[in-house]
Amino acid sequence: MGGTAPGGGVARPLAAALAPFAVVAAAHIVPAATWLPRFRSACLPRLAGLGRPGHVALTFDDGPDPESTPRFLDELDRLGVRATFFVLGEAVVRHPELTRDIAGRGHELGVHGWTHSRPWLPAPGRDLRETALTVRVVQDVTGRRPVWYRPPYGILTAGRWAAARRLGLRPVLWTAWGRDWTAEATPASVRATVGADLRGGGTVLLHDCDRASAPGCWRSALGALPGLVTACRDAGREVGPLTEHGVGNDRPARHDTRRTGRPRPRRLTPASAAAADTCP
């Protein structure tokens, strides 16, 4: 005897009604599969940050922070190394002098987002506004327009990807990290974890503060730096920022300078940043 399963008449229209939402959700989150290190290294080497074999790109996320970031700057000065700092816009507004100091010491700044948020729901308008605002405050404070973009947690959704590309930013993740955000991390564990995946042409992810990590864990990354740099140099590899890494053919944005060659910053306050919260 033929028939229809109980509730079948309701299930089909409900499934049809939910289908568009499923498509939107899939489009939003599928690009985040690039978070998987082996997948992106094999299939998307530019996004993974693979550069020239004789170079290692050193990058830091989540700053600036007045307690920890200056210690990293001092250690990098001592080691004679420049790096790329992926900064949060809200932290740049709170600490403009420290942000200028990062640039003034020869490091480059990339965009890490306005806040360190997880993108659970699609919000392309917000992604564009917040990324644009972060670009603007970095440029206002340092006089240099950022080139690189790395989303918080490395979760590159469709909205974040589109925002970066519209703003002329180059998304880049990493090939090796130190797991330096955990309470159990030590300088030795950070060196070992980075070393397990580090090859010539790789991009290293560390953190110069504990804004989204275990309190004080930045000390492990700081303590690991000398050994990491020495190991790279012993292997015949230079250590430097992404701009010198040879990832693709992108060039840094041009910027205004004084006669001394230093960037010409503009004063920025939280109020002026909020007033600038529009897309360029």
Side-chain angles (χ1 to χ4, degrees):
M1 179 179 294
T4 302
V10 176
R12 282 192 291 270
L14 180 60
L18 292 177
F21 296 98
V23 171
V24 170
H28 168 66
I29 204 63
V30 164
T34 57
W35 185 89
L36 299 169
R38 291 185 179 179
F39 169 77
R40 67 171 176 265
S41 293
C43 302
L44 299 165
R46 289 168 54 124
L47 178 62
L50 286 170
R52 52 190 177 91
H55 189 270
V56 169
L58 181 61
T59 70
F60 297 92
D61 284 7
D62 296 358
D65 183 274
E67 179 184 3
S68 53
T69 302
R71 304 182 191 220
F72 283 85
L73 297 178
D74 290 345
E75 184 63 14
L76 291 169
D77 280 350
R78 189 185 71 80
L79 294 168
V81 171
R82 290 180 297 132
T84 302
F85 286 78
F86 285 92
V87 297
L88 296 171
E90 64 172 5
V92 170
V93 171
R94 289 197 188 102
H95 312 294
E97 293 298 334
L98 177 54
T99 305
R100 276 189 281 273
D101 191 29
I102 296 172
R105 296 204 201 190
H107 307 288
E108 66 176 351
L109 280 75
V111 170
H112 198 39
W114 184 254
T115 61
H116 205 281
S117 60
R118 286 187 174 92
W120 298 124
L121 298 174
R126 183 192 63 198
D127 291 335
L128 180 58
R129 286 193 304 273
E130 293 188 352
T131 306
L133 181 56
T134 305
V135 169
R136 184 169 301 174
V137 297
V138 170
Q139 185 169 12
D140 285 350
V141 168
T142 68
R144 298 184 176 95
R145 185 177 177 86
V147 175
W148 307 99
Y149 172 71
R150 177 182 290 158
Y153 304 103
I155 302 175
L156 190 60
T157 62
R160 288 176 169 182
W161 190 303
R165 300 306 290 175
R166 177 170 174 179
L167 295 165
L169 297 173
R170 171 70 180 279
V172 64
L173 299 180
W174 60 87
T175 63
W177 61 7
R179 292 190 177 272
D180 53 328
W181 61 86
T182 67
E184 296 77 22
T186 65
S189 74
V190 172
R191 288 197 304 271
T193 305
V194 170
D197 293 319
L198 185 59
R199 304 291 183 271
T203 292
V204 176
L205 163 63
L206 296 174
H207 297 79
D208 62 307
C209 71
D210 56 11
R211 178 169 283 106
S213 311
C217 63
W218 55 266
R219 292 182 173 84
S220 297
L222 181 64
L225 273 181
L228 290 174
V229 171
T230 297
C232 289
R233 288 172 171 167
D234 287 348
R237 297 168 186 151
E238 303 172 52
V239 181
L242 282 165
T243 296
E244 298 176 358
H245 196 45
V247 183
N249 298 316
D250 295 278
R251 295 182 179 179
R254 300 175 67 180
H255 56 84
D256 295 331
T257 59
R258 300 178 187 270
R259 291 183 179 178
T260 60
R262 295 290 298 277
R264 180 176 4 189
R266 285 186 288 169
R267 295 287 177 183
L268 196 72
T269 65
S272 64
D277 192 4
T278 56
C279 299

